[in-house]
Amino acid sequence: MCGIVGSVGLHNPHDYILDGLKLLNYRGYDSAGLAYFEHGIKIYKDKGSVEHLETLVPHNFSSLVAIGHTRWATHGVANKTNSHPHLSYHQKITIVHNGVIENYQEIKNFLLKEKYDFYSETDTEVIANLLDYFYTKNNDMLMSIKESISLINGSYAICLFNDDHPDVLYVMKRSSPLLIGHGDGFNLVSSDASAMIKYTNKFIDLNDKEYGIVTKDNIQIFNEKGEAVNKEYISRDIADIAIDLKGYPHYMVKEIEEIPDVCAKLLSTYYKDGDYHFDKELIDALSKANHIIFIACGTSYHASLVGGRLFESFANISTSEYIASEWANHPRITGEWPFVIMLSQSGETADLISCLKIIEEKKIPSLVITNTEGSTLDRKCQYSLLLHAGKEVSVASTKAYVAQVSLLALIVGAVSKQKYIYEDLLKATSYINNVQNNIEKIRNIASNIKKSESLYFLGRGYDYLLSLEASLKLKEVSYIHSEAFPGGEIKHGPIALIDKNTPVIVFITDEENAVHMRNNIQEVVARGAKVYVISTKSLAKKDDDIVLDDFPYYLTSVVSSTFAFYLAYYTSLLKGYNVDRPRNLAKSVTVE
Ligand code: F6R
């Protein structure tokens, strides 16, 4: 979703601001803008890409301060007026903002009575004017920020400058990430370390309701009471945050092809010297739990379904899996000793952050499995395990899904003290390359389905859980309507929609379910459907489309998922879409 960059003290901030915005564009956006101070405030912004913004902006600007933004529309359509930066009514404060202000209407009503006019439909302009309102009264920017923080509900990462002090940036943060990068004679601000890593690897991470003043040589941070806070510098593993296509045409295919390496890194991190390698306290807490509640969204939710089944089958611990926005609304807590596992690639998903508040209130032990070190969930959950999958840039998640499932299998191995789970995983990951030998066949299937309006994925057991992810991936990047069903469920309704125009993609990798699945295939073939079968050698039939080497059935999400990811990728390419940035989607969903 939205992205922020800011700089103070850089000689010519043009490159940092525009390159930084380009590095953030993987998050998903629909408009972009920037502002700086050169003989007055200069603002350039429009609907469309950062490349388009670049054509509007002068090549050089010598300004001590500059701020930039990519916007993903929440309040008000995507157009030039609603794009950031926003200027306050008295033309004093120029601001960029990520997040959503929940009580913006209330504040706007108050400001309207105080004779403030508004030009955009955004909640951001309301904050600009609230700051302006206080500043007009007290002429003190830090005091105005403190007063505003006490009135604003919602999430925000804000960077701004004031016309009266164009050598200073101000920052404020709640529930949306914001980092300050420290350089020699300059300081930077961004919602994402990757935008700053070319300039510095020394960061200050703001906590909720902290705010601060940033000059070229100094950073001062305050808490909501206005007390100065001492902040430590942190650094980040560059390999984990670097954004580089490494010669691939798209991030999605690069990330699919990284999956075997991601698994190898995960296995060597969490299995050492012949045994599982986890914090003992975490494994004890999980072993003591009599019910595990999984909470996640989208692809991460699909990984949690696999994790839940693994815990039940191999560790004998019952589980429930919930979509975060639903659980937040109706928090079901089962069992005398519950334990919550949250899965989140980004670690910043707003729906999960609201669940975490409930979990903290109820004092339930919690673990987050995330790919993003230093993210809100990484910092706030009682326990955190990193995926070490390297930055995932493609909006459609691929390698993070496989890493999540693999890490869950390793945790289950540690809790149940069964080493063969590690060995099975090692074997399974070595078969992922096997899918790559079928690229031509996958491309052919993509070509056959690309004109379909609707499509089904079918599977049973773990293959059904994988089908859910395969279906989400295909619809995200190819815009083909797609649904996943357990093989046994189609005759209870969905079969009504099957005809010769409905391709059906079937996974058969589990011996126990193979015969039933073959029967389900006959049911859809009898209604005219064109069926594509992905099976394993020992279960294959003559006409199956893709036959993989045998692997442990419960790891189909680790192996066969690569087929599903390639299928989505090639279908999207054949349809001429922007596969890395599908319409309407954002990488990190920081609004509820
Ligand atoms: C799908 C996808 C999304 C995310 C979901 C949760 O390809 O990427 O469905 O999985 O938005 O995001 P995280 O895992 O960052 O919490």
Side-chain angles (χ1 to χ4, degrees):
M1 292 195 145
C2 309
I4 288 178
V5 284
S7 75
V8 51
L10 277 184
H11 190 57
N12 175 14
H14 175 279
D15 290 355
Y16 165 65
I17 296 290
L18 283 149
D19 294 347
L21 290 179
K22 283 179 197 159
L23 287 168
L24 296 185
N25 73 21
Y26 75 93
R27 297 167 65 100
Y29 71 104
D30 41 49
S31 32
L34 61 81
Y36 57 90
F37 190 93
E38 199 176 55
H39 315 297
I41 300 165
K42 302 282 185 302
I43 297 182
Y44 298 88
K45 58 184 188 172
D46 206 355
K47 180 180 171 182
S49 65
V50 177
E51 285 73 15
H52 167 60
L53 174 70
E54 203 165 11
T55 64
L56 312 175
V57 176
H59 286 305
N60 291 302
F61 38 88
S62 65
S63 166
L64 265 174
V65 290
I67 56 179
H69 192 259
T70 47
R71 173 174 189 254
W72 190 85
T74 55
H75 293 69
V77 295
N79 62 19
K80 180 173 173 175
T81 314
N82 288 332
S83 306
H84 301 206
H86 288 280
L87 186 58
S88 69
Y89 181 59
H90 294 113
Q91 315 232 321
K92 279 277 168 226
I93 291 157
T94 310
I95 176 174
V96 289
H97 162 223
N98 290 355
V100 171
I101 305 301
E102 283 158 13
N103 57 341
Y104 82 102
Q105 193 58 54
E106 210 177 290
I107 299 173
K108 188 169 180 175
N109 294 344
F110 164 77
L111 290 168
L112 284 166
K113 281 196 204 126
E114 297 291 326
K115 308 265 178 295
Y116 276 78
D117 273 346
F118 291 83
Y119 303 100
S120 76
E121 300 158 271
T122 64
D123 50 348
T124 304
E125 193 187 7
V126 175
I127 300 309
N129 282 339
L130 184 65
L131 290 161
D132 181 302
Y133 167 80
F134 286 120
Y135 185 74
T136 310
K137 286 180 162 239
N138 60 25
N139 211 29
D140 180 334
M141 200 59 229
L142 284 172
M143 183 64 78
S144 306
I145 292 176
K146 181 172 170 272
E147 303 239 27
S148 301
I149 286 177
S150 68
L151 294 181
I152 306 169
N153 294 332
S155 58
Y156 52 83
I158 288 174
C159 183
L160 62 98
F161 64 87
N162 182 324
D163 182 56
D164 288 343
H165 308 282
D167 52 351
V168 169
L169 285 180
Y170 298 91
V171 289
M172 47 201 280
K173 177 228 138 102
R174 183 183 175 190
S175 298
S176 280
L178 196 64
L179 293 163
I180 302 170
H182 178 57
D184 190 8
F186 66 91
N187 284 307
L188 306 175
V189 175
S190 183
S191 46
D192 195 320
S194 54
M196 301 186 277
I197 198 69
K198 215 173 113 189
Y199 293 78
T200 179
N201 191 9
K202 254 176 115 178
F203 304 110
I204 286 177
D205 207 346
L206 292 190
N207 287 327
D208 280 355
K209 294 199 182 174
E210 285 181 346
Y211 62 98
I213 174 167
V214 186
T215 66
K216 74 185 185 50
D217 301 309
N218 202 16
I219 302 168
Q220 264 185 292
I221 305 296
F222 304 91
N223 63 21
E224 63 181 309
K225 292 187 201 143
E227 298 157 342
V229 184
N230 266 337
K231 303 289 286 188
E232 303 262 309
Y233 286 113
I234 51 168
S235 61
R236 291 276 189 268
D237 183 344
I238 295 177
D240 278 354
I241 57 175
I243 295 183
D244 183 357
L245 267 171
K246 293 192 180 146
Y248 285 93
H250 304 101
Y251 287 104
M252 186 169 175
V253 69
K254 168 181 173 277
E255 288 159 11
I256 297 171
E257 299 200 354
E258 283 171 352
I259 289 173
D261 289 345
V262 167
C263 291
K265 179 153 187 202
L266 201 65
L267 290 172
S268 63
T269 306
Y270 294 109
Y271 194 90
K272 285 187 178 158
D273 304 325
D275 208 350
Y276 294 100
H277 186 75
F278 291 103
D279 174 4
K280 186 176 172 313
E281 192 188 296
L282 165 66
I283 299 302
D284 286 349
L286 278 164
S287 310
K288 253 202 273 161
N290 64 355
H291 192 78
I292 295 179
I293 301 164
F294 282 91
I295 306 176
C297 312
T299 288
S300 297
Y301 169 71
H302 293 155
S304 81
L305 295 173
V306 181
R309 196 166 289 207
L310 291 172
F311 263 100
E312 293 190 339
S313 310
F314 297 93
N316 203 20
I317 302 176
S318 69
T319 68
S320 310
E321 294 77 35
Y322 295 99
I323 288 174
S325 53
E326 288 297 307
W327 192 83
N329 221 3
H330 180 60
R332 285 202 60 196
I333 297 158
T334 318
E336 214 177 329
W337 296 290
F339 190 105
V340 169
I341 299 184
M342 304 180 117
L343 297 175
S344 177
Q345 188 284 129
S346 64
E348 296 295 351
T349 301
D351 289 330
L352 282 164
I353 292 170
S354 1
C355 294
L356 185 61
K357 287 181 186 142
I358 303 170
I359 293 161
E360 282 169 345
E361 269 165 34
K362 303 210 179 279
K363 299 193 171 32
I364 307 172
S366 63
L367 160 71
V368 67
I369 292 179
T370 179
N371 198 29
T372 315
E373 187 180 3
S375 58
T376 304
L377 290 168
D378 175 43
R379 284 183 288 119
K380 293 202 164 167
C381 266
Q382 186 178 350
Y383 302 99
S384 175
L385 290 175
L386 293 172
L387 296 171
H388 297 295
K391 184 103 185 156
E392 196 177 61
V393 176
S394 162
V395 165
S397 183
T398 55
K399 61 179 178 175
Y401 169 79
V402 178
Q404 285 169 334
V405 171
S406 306
L407 182 47
L408 283 164
L410 290 170
I411 297 170
V412 169
V415 171
S416 62
K417 300 189 174 44
Q418 303 188 81
K419 288 196 181 166
Y420 72 85
I421 295 186
Y422 163 78
E423 279 146 21
D424 279 358
L425 201 52
L426 195 62
K427 192 157 126 205
T429 55
S430 74
Y431 288 152
I432 297 173
N433 291 332
N434 191 223
V435 182
Q436 290 167 343
N437 302 335
N438 289 284
I439 288 281
E440 269 323 301
K441 290 184 186 164
I442 301 174
R443 250 201 253 248
N444 281 340
I445 302 178
S447 169
N448 291 344
I449 65 169
K450 70 172 193 251
K451 294 216 172 102
S452 309
E453 281 183 10
S454 192
L455 177 151
Y456 285 159
F457 283 92
L458 299 182
R460 283 175 178 247
Y462 286 98
D463 279 335
Y464 163 58
L465 305 183
L466 167 67
S467 298
L468 290 167
E469 176 54 16
S471 171
L472 175 64
K473 209 82 322 164
L474 187 77
K475 73 176 87 142
E476 277 183 301
V477 298
S478 76
Y479 315 145
I480 296 175
H481 169 253
S482 150
E483 290 191 61
F485 290 103
E489 188 62 12
I490 44 165
K491 55 187 167 299
H492 298 289
I495 202 162
L497 291 177
I498 299 239
D499 64 16
K500 66 177 179 12
N501 299 317
T502 329
V504 177
I505 299 177
V506 182
F507 293 101
I508 306 182
T509 70
D510 172 3
E511 191 180 356
E512 211 167 295
N513 287 313
V515 174
H516 286 312
M517 229 25 263
R518 294 284 171 191
N519 291 339
N520 296 140
I521 291 178
Q522 292 315 314
E523 289 160 5
V524 294
V525 167
R527 271 86 192 167
K530 168 73 188 134
V531 175
Y532 300 93
V533 179
I534 295 86
S535 61
T536 46
K537 261 184 195 149
S538 60
L539 307 174
K541 295 259 189 245
K542 190 165 74 45
D543 292 331
D544 286 357
D545 296 81
I546 303 230
V547 178
L548 303 174
D549 287 341
D550 288 329
F551 55 81
Y553 72 97
Y554 63 94
L555 297 173
T556 187
S557 284
V558 174
V559 184
S560 324
S561 54
T562 290
F563 159 80
F565 298 152
Y566 276 129
L567 182 68
Y569 174 72
Y570 285 118
T571 311
S572 175
L573 285 199
L574 290 170
K575 294 183 83 175
Y577 296 138
N578 182 344
V579 69
D580 284 335
R581 285 208 277 124
R583 68 185 182 207
N584 303 337
L585 298 179
K587 184 67 190 159
S588 174
V589 184
T590 47
V591 295
E592 280 173 50

